[in-house]
Amino acid sequence: MTPQFVDGNKLLLLRNGTDYFPALQQAIDAAKGEIYLETYIFRDDGTGQAIAAALARAARRGVVVRVLVDGFGCKDHFAEIRERLLAANVQVLIYRPKISPLTLRRNRLRRMHRKLVVIDARVAFAGGINIIDDMDTPGDNPPRYDYAVRIEGPLLAPIVEEVERLWFRGARAWASRRRRRRDKRIVAVDAAPRGSQRAALVVRDNLRHRSDIEDAYLAAIGKARVEIIIANAYFFPGARFRRALLDAARRGVRVTLLLQGRVEYFLQHYASRAFYGPLLDAGVEIYEYKHGFMHAKVAVIDQRWSTVGSSNIDPFSLLLAREANIVVDDQPFAQELRRNLQQDMASGAMIIAQSAWRNQPWLERALIWASYNFARMLLGLTGYAERQ
């Protein structure tokens, strides 16, 4: 499905939690009517406690506060935060709270990975940043490397509709049969123009929007004429995505990938490196971010098209999880994001040289291909390998 762009928005790029959390807390503290917050992880750490306290303050002054978290992302570190929120009259739902020991079952692999916040239906936040301490990165330099965007304007309308739809779907599942009715909206959506930026909300779900985020990427890559920069923490692209990048590089587009350089998940880290050879052979530049923990999911194409969101380029995000990306058609916004990416590649990343890659030790090669084949086997067991 083609992204539905709307004009008249005011977008503010937020880099890392050092930008995001103060802006988020300020907006929560200013709320007067209603707050929706969706997050994959809501950790009981300094940042989580500060955001939970702000949500509790809002609820105590009469704001309706609704928090939706993922049952897997929050399975080990949300119980105490949840109790404090409930005690303050915050409404809390957990998306798929029952984790099956048969983790390869498709329905148990489908998670809520979005990071969306809507406050008073007049300001929203979207991106890849969980509610987690940005400075707590054991073994790495803080802060976590990630992005979000603050949104005002007509784009609020589809964002509000999306968060309401998912919330009330979950709420109805928990409610008794006689109470299964849609609550009335508490505040009207403020979708008046606030700026001049053109943007769209693109989501991935298991119904009408199964491939919308991937399709938006592929359409933009297919139209690229000069430059593609993709920064993505978990990179395990399917065949269509790989072909699109290779085709772009072969027609003379400069394609640059900024990927995770630290070993966070052993299998994912080594399996993803199986794609490096063909990409490097086609002229794609690959940088691995070494300075700290990378969690970004952003891209800039031809200094005009850009995206900031929650979706990685891997089977979890593109085939399984509920995701939300903001796609922006605006040159100043794209150029700002591009400057950030270029600065961080220069100061915190290492380029992968084609010659060094070809001459890597045989043991490293064996580890990469063993990891790749094992990952493919797992995908086959879940029934998703046909898309890879």
Side-chain angles (χ1 to χ4, degrees), residues 158-231:
I159 295 175
V160 171
E161 181 180 359
E162 187 61 37
V163 296
E164 284 185 341
R165 180 186 294 115
L166 189 55
W167 173 269
F168 287 110
R169 176 182 173 182
R172 286 195 298 272
W174 282 82
S176 66
R177 189 176 293 273
R178 66 182 174 214
R179 290 175 54 213
R180 287 185 183 179
R181 61 180 179 82
R182 184 179 179 89
D183 293 6
K184 292 182 179 179
R185 182 173 294 156
I186 294 170
V187 294
V189 179
D190 182 358
R194 290 286 182 267
S196 60
Q197 292 164 307
R198 188 167 180 261
L201 171 69
V202 186
V203 299
R204 195 233 154 255
D205 62 24
N206 294 298
L207 297 171
R208 295 180 300 155
H209 306 287
R210 293 185 179 184
S211 64
D212 285 15
I213 291 177
E214 184 176 18
D215 290 345
Y217 264 106
L218 293 176
I221 291 169
K223 295 176 183 176
R225 293 295 174 263
V226 178
E227 180 186 62
I228 297 168
I229 303 176
I230 296 175

Side-chain angles (χ1 to χ4, degrees), residues 45 65 94 96 129 202 206 268 324 333 337 340 380-381:
D45 56 23
V65 182
I94 300 177
R96 296 189 180 275
I129 304 177
V202 186
N206 294 298
Q268 185 276 334
F333 185 92
L337 178 55
N340 273 274
L381 291 175

Side-chain angles (χ1 to χ4, degrees), residues 132-149:
I132 187 172
D133 189 347
D134 201 41
M135 307 303 288
D136 179 18
T137 57
D140 286 291
N141 296 313
R144 283 178 172 82
Y145 184 52
D146 211 339
Y147 289 92
V149 59

